[in-house]
Amino acid sequence: MKGIIRVDYKPVIGLEAHIELKTKSKMFCNCSADYFGKAPNSHTCPVCLGLPGALPVSNQKAIEWCLMIGLALNCKVRNFSKFDRKNYFYPDLPKGYQISQYDIPFSEAGEIKLKNNKTIRITRVHMEEDTGKLLHLNEDSTLIDFNRSGVPLVEIVTEPDFESSEDVNEFLKKLQLMVRYLGVSNADMEKGEMRLEPNISLKFSTSNQLPSYKVEIKNINSFRFAEKAINYELKRQAELLKSGETPAQETRGWDEKKQKTVSQRQKEEAHDYRYFPEPDIPPFTFDEKYIRELSAQIPELPDAKIQRFQKQYSLPYYDAEILTREKELANSYEEVAKIGNTKGINPKQIANYIINKKVDPINFEPAKIIDEILKGKTEEINESELDNILDKVIMDNTKAVEDFKAGKEQALMFLIGQVIKMAGRKLDSNLIREEIKEKIK
Amino acid sequence: MKLNELSIKQAVEGLKSKKFSSVDLLKACLGQIKAKDKSLNAFITVTEKEALGQAKRSDNLISQKADLPLLGIPISLKDLYLTKGIKTTAASNVLKDYIPQYDATVVSKLKNAGAVLIGKVNCDAWAHGSSGENSDFGPTKNPWNEEYVPGGSSSGSAVSVAANMCIAATGTDTGGSIRHPASFCNVVGLKPTYGRVSRYGIVAMASSLDSIGHFTKTVEDSAIFLNVTAGKDQMDSTTPDTKVDNYLEDLNRGVKDLRIGIPKEYFMEGLDPRIKERIEKAIKLYEKNGAKIVDISLPHSKYAIACYYIIQPSEVSSNLARYDGIRYGNTRPHFGDEAKRRIMLGTFTLSAGYYDAYYKKAMKVRTLIMQDFDKAFAKVDVILTPVSPTLPWKIEEKVNDPLGMYLSDIFTVTANLAGIPGLAIPAGFINGLPIGFQILGPRFSEKTLFRVGNFFERNYKSGL
Ligand SMILES: [Zn+2]
């Protein structure tokens, strides 16, 4: 972003993220929530079609998972909560209202820390239902698929604490990894399991106040799009501001083809959702004991795991971060490290092996990995012996040395081979490589 | 006595002892429909073919000595109850062609109890009304005098029972829609505790107020009926686990030492003095037989109509949103004036900037009304009040006076706002037109209501 915006403006970015839960059934009925790629309208019933007389019955698992996401984001869970109706007309919304949460979300006031130590405050985490999907055939006809209607959706709203698209990206990756660790969603953006709507504005860098306008961006279905859309928008707004105009308060969509955001809805068309408490679902009470039990169910989350790996296995951040990108991979690593410990293999060697060989975290055999590491294990050599051999090899192979200096990588490989041959045993080729480079520098 | 004039109790006994068959009983009812319904207009759909099949099946089961509480009994359903494969209109042109894919929970329960479902009955469209005139299928008439309204909104239900076109009928009561027509038509009407009977599969009017009840010829029948319909439904989260009583248990316990509360706010000006006098006689009858009559006050009742006409249209506006013209075949202009009026009212009261002043305040008043009842039920077992402040009025007399129509629910809406049960009991006639009173009790006290109602039914002489 550097160079895009003039220094006198500072980005103010907030986020609304939606995460589809991977519960077996939908939020308010028994239909399967696994709708992706299924025949249209094959996962429907009176409830998710919004037929007359149908009533919602809440999915307890989904509520539990929503609370867990809140807790993982360090939010405070409300002791009393309820669902509300959000009223608006849209063809993909069969009841004419969405069951959501208005003034009493399940949890609120959390925070998450970024690598640069910046704190992103979480406003709220609430539960709602997804809508159906429209399929526009042509100018005259649109089809509706209600398979997605009623799939549990968790909405996470942050304060406008992000200052760059990089911040946003880091947060999103963290969030995605977190819900995967919790086992509540795959959060695959391409499949629409994770969706986001950043709201973006610019303020004078000297100002303490939020800008008078806010632009919401929709249609973002990958991390890359998010970054591009935010950067584009920051640039667009900066230019408007520079020319003395205030950007309009509006909703814009990211157009991947045109590589730009396009206006979708202006403020004057903004909805009044006429929220009121959902009379078909009695309110909820969550006592402290229940909340404690839920907290206890939350597994070790990525940030904590990275820290522990660094400490427990003496790994650099780089390794610990890679090993924890998937929960299964982290578990595999720990399993191998445990066996390795009994065979004199240190955790760093195992980390190197797993990272370099890109071990499949699901189908792996710890014993086999240990065997392979052992097989590849090099023998020790003392410094003076190595020094002697190196001097000899360099002297005997001046052509190869010259070739390497001239940029031929293969020449170095040849020299390494000669050293190992002369030593008469298996040595760590990485070590030799560094030593040769040092010598002939 | 003709077969179609029997009560559930009598008909079940007759069927069991093979005095007549379920097909005989059904045919008697169908005959009455043919004879009377052209003028009364109680039915929107008569399901003769399906009913005959069910009656034959019932006769089969009876011969196998099956023991089901409603086996072979012809029952009509308010056309708000969804019936699989059978047109369900809500008496509105919006749904005039709608054929549901599923049965309401109560419909399934009635079928499982052996009932013969004879047809779908008329009502005020979407249950909006107190006279039965607001139907897109034409007004239903009062069988006691066809120039008069039968009350609403469950007009066809009350009339189908009163005119002996069936043995019992289902209804819905959101602000008095069962008790009101029951008292206008001289039949027994029960509005159960909110949540006692499942709302699943019944076209919603105002979800926090809708109560699912029925019409019968006797109090005992009402108890038999509730024994079938009451209970938790996994499909309706507002039905609690609260134990279902055997509603027949206390029927004949009498009223000795029973404390009956008389709320002064329900006997003030506005109440037809002839109705007042009649109800006072009923109170005397209870007193003479050992009940303790206690003067009580329900001070917030005076705000009930105002409160009700905010909460109810708010929920209506949201519940009717699904009929958006995309599905069900008919667009929103097909809504009648009353539905449009309520959609507009509700949309307004829920709007940003008005919500606090209207909906939120109404919810606070609702709490006060509930507390009034809680306080009262600490002192008394039941409360006795009139159902309607007036006698049935002439057809078209109030059609241009929506506010006047709303006020006819003044004594009934409080029970819906408080979620408590109410039983409307016939108390004879004035000038040939029926009148009734209602007995209200704490939540889940239906058993006591039947006891109090049954006592009156057994002991009053029509000359009261
Ligand atoms: Zn469904």
Side-chain angles (χ1 to χ4, degrees), chain A residues 219 222 224-225 228 253-260:
Chain A
N219 280 357
S222 78
R224 223 164 37 83
F225 288 9
K228 286 198 280 188
W254 173 248
D255 187 327
E256 176 64 10
K257 261 190 217 136
K258 295 185 184 147
Q259 292 288 308
K260 60 196 249 185

Side-chain angles (χ1 to χ4, degrees), chain A residues 327-337 354 360-362 364 366:
Chain A
K327 196 179 179 181
E328 293 76 12
L329 184 67
N331 290 345
S332 307
Y333 171 74
E334 293 208 84
E335 221 175 300
V336 181
I354 290 185
D360 178 356
I362 310 287
F364 83 105

Side-chain angles (χ1 to χ4, degrees), chain A residues 26 28-32 43-49 146-147 149-150:
Chain A
K26 292 188 182 181
F28 299 113
C29 62
N30 286 325
C31 292
S32 164
H43 287 194
T44 57
C45 74
V47 177
C48 56
L49 288 173
F146 288 108
N147 281 351
S149 169

